[in-house]
Amino acid sequence: MSKHIPRKRFGQHFLSDSYIIESIVNGIAPVAGEPVVEIGPGLAALTQPLVERLGHLTVIELDRDLAQRLRGHGQLTVIESDVLRVDFAQLARDMNVPRIRVVGNLPYNISTPILFHLLDYVDVIQDQHFMLQKEVIDRMVAAPSSGDYGRLSVMLQWRYEMENFLFVPPESFDPPPRVDSAVVRMVPRAHPAQVDVKLMEEMVQVAFSQRRKKLRHTLGAWLDARGFAGQFDVQRRAEEVPVNDYVQLALALKPSEQR
């Protein structure tokens, strides 16, 4: 079979280090028969060891040539699609299960949109294991008052328990990317606060729009425009506010203020 040439526009870097592959699969700990969906299987470096333990695997692949190649594998269901167009709730129904496990080596150029897309389907997801650019994972798991703490930290920590469990150097890939990678484990929280996600997203985006300034200039003005009469300390910078304070503020906004 001819060698697949990595496509720059798809952000393709293929995992080739057997020790790293084994460490990731052991971290995921797949059990035979579990409903697992892999995003961006590529040349099947993770796919093959996963399917050997699972017996069957569903994969989402955008690259037509790779999708065609994967269809030749008898134990895979191949969805040829942009992952941002995939309805994961429908996928769970099609697989006849309440929840699915999601894994993948996410394309670096669209990893954040994929994380936000999956946030819409968190109710049908058991857990997520992703390889990402290390700096993205640093932002995901960052604590308040650190340089990495931002919109991604707040929006994901509200909904998931997260752990950065494996460092992956550039030489583990072909071709090697110019950045370090890591693997994150994301487990949806069992009893998250019932916030309006779109409202919280807008609120957090406004808060971090000028992270060097105090919140009275950004979030304070946004709250005033909504006629918010509650208590919230806007003399802090966005990065000084813990996740739970943002969650409580989102819950405190009355429907009339959520316009």
Side-chain angles (χ1 to χ4, degrees), residues 105-158:
N105 172 13
L106 299 191
Y108 291 166
N109 49 355
I110 58 159
S111 57
T112 302
I114 292 172
L115 292 169
F116 276 98
H117 178 64
L118 285 164
L119 196 52
D120 292 339
Y121 300 103
V122 69
D123 292 338
V124 299
I125 290 172
Q126 181 183 322
D127 59 14
Q128 298 174 168
H129 290 80
F130 294 133
M131 182 163 0
L132 295 157
Q133 219 166 312
K134 182 181 175 292
E135 66 176 46
V136 174
I137 295 180
D138 288 346
R139 298 209 316 266
M140 291 163 68
V141 303
S145 298
S146 67
D148 289 324
Y149 184 74
R151 174 172 160 253
L152 202 58
S153 324
V154 175
M155 289 307 299
L156 295 180
Q157 288 177 34
W158 152 70

Side-chain angles (χ1 to χ4, degrees), residues 226-239:
R226 273 159 179 68
F228 177 65
Q231 294 294 307
F232 188 78
D233 179 6
V234 292
Q235 297 306 319
R236 297 174 286 181
R237 291 186 175 86
E239 61 193 40

Side-chain angles (χ1 to χ4, degrees), residues 34-46:
E34 279 184 329
V36 178
V37 177
E38 184 185 6
I39 296 170
L43 295 176
L46 266 181

Side-chain angles (χ1 to χ4, degrees), residues 187-202:
V187 181
R189 294 184 186 278
H191 304 290
Q194 296 302 306
V195 300
D196 176 329
V197 181
K198 293 286 174 261
L199 172 83
M200 179 133 150
E201 222 169 281
E202 184 186 340

Side-chain angles (χ1 to χ4, degrees), residues 3-253:
K3 187 177 189 311
H4 180 82
I5 308 300
R7 295 189 184 178
K8 220 170 198 156
R9 71 190 175 99
F10 291 150
Q12 289 176 341
H13 295 276
F14 298 113
L15 197 53
S16 54
D17 182 321
S18 57
Y19 170 76
I20 293 287
I21 291 165
E22 192 177 341
S23 301
I24 296 169
V25 174
N26 287 340
I28 296 168
V31 174
E34 279 184 329
V36 178
V37 177
E38 184 185 6
I39 296 170
L43 295 176
L46 266 181
T47 313
Q48 191 53 40
L50 282 172
V51 85
E52 282 166 14
R53 296 207 201 178
L54 292 163
H56 184 269
L57 179 64
T58 297
V59 298
I60 300 167
E61 178 56 66
L62 175 60
D63 186 316
R64 191 173 57 217
D65 296 345
L66 290 176
Q68 187 62 34
R69 191 181 281 232
L70 291 160
R71 281 194 194 94
H73 193 301
Q75 294 165 285
L76 300 179
T77 296
V78 181
I79 299 169
E80 187 181 325
S81 173
D82 176 348
V83 66
L84 297 177
R85 296 178 180 275
V86 173
D87 180 334
F88 283 83
Q90 185 60 52
L91 194 50
R93 286 193 291 274
D94 292 346
M95 295 168 81
N96 203 22
V97 292
R99 283 191 186 82
I100 53 181
R101 305 188 71 192
V102 185
V103 304
N105 172 13
L106 299 191
Y108 291 166
N109 49 355
I110 58 159
S111 57
T112 302
I114 292 172
L115 292 169
F116 276 98
H117 178 64
L118 285 164
L119 196 52
D120 292 339
Y121 300 103
V122 69
D123 292 338
V124 299
I125 290 172
Q126 181 183 322
D127 59 14
Q128 298 174 168
H129 290 80
F130 294 133
M131 182 163 0
L132 295 157
Q133 219 166 312
K134 182 181 175 292
E135 66 176 46
V136 174
I137 295 180
D138 288 346
R139 298 209 316 266
M140 291 163 68
V141 303
S145 298
S146 67
D148 289 324
Y149 184 74
R151 174 172 160 253
L152 202 58
S153 324
V154 175
M155 289 307 299
L156 295 180
Q157 288 177 34
W158 152 70
R159 200 57 186 85
Y160 302 93
E161 296 275 1
M162 290 185 292
E163 178 194 354
N164 174 355
F165 78 88
L166 186 69
F167 174 75
V168 185
E171 56 271 21
S172 303
F173 298 89
D174 179 25
R178 293 199 186 97
V179 294
D180 289 331
S181 304
V183 182
V184 66
R185 175 181 292 118
M186 306 173 69
V187 181
R189 294 184 186 278
H191 304 290
Q194 296 302 306
V195 300
D196 176 329
V197 181
K198 293 286 174 261
L199 172 83
M200 179 133 150
E201 222 169 281
E202 184 186 340
M203 185 182 80
V204 172
Q205 198 158 7
V206 169
F208 283 95
S209 61
Q210 298 178 53
R211 56 186 301 148
R212 298 280 163 261
K213 291 190 173 178
K214 292 204 168 160
L215 283 171
R216 66 170 186 269
H217 300 287
T218 52
L219 193 58
W222 185 86
L223 290 169
D224 288 346
R226 273 159 179 68
F228 177 65
Q231 294 294 307
F232 188 78
D233 179 6
V234 292
Q235 297 306 319
R236 297 174 286 181
R237 291 186 175 86
E239 61 193 40
E240 295 170 335
V241 180
V243 173
N244 196 48
D245 284 20
Y246 284 116
V247 170
Q248 293 309 314
L249 178 58
L251 291 171
L253 287 167

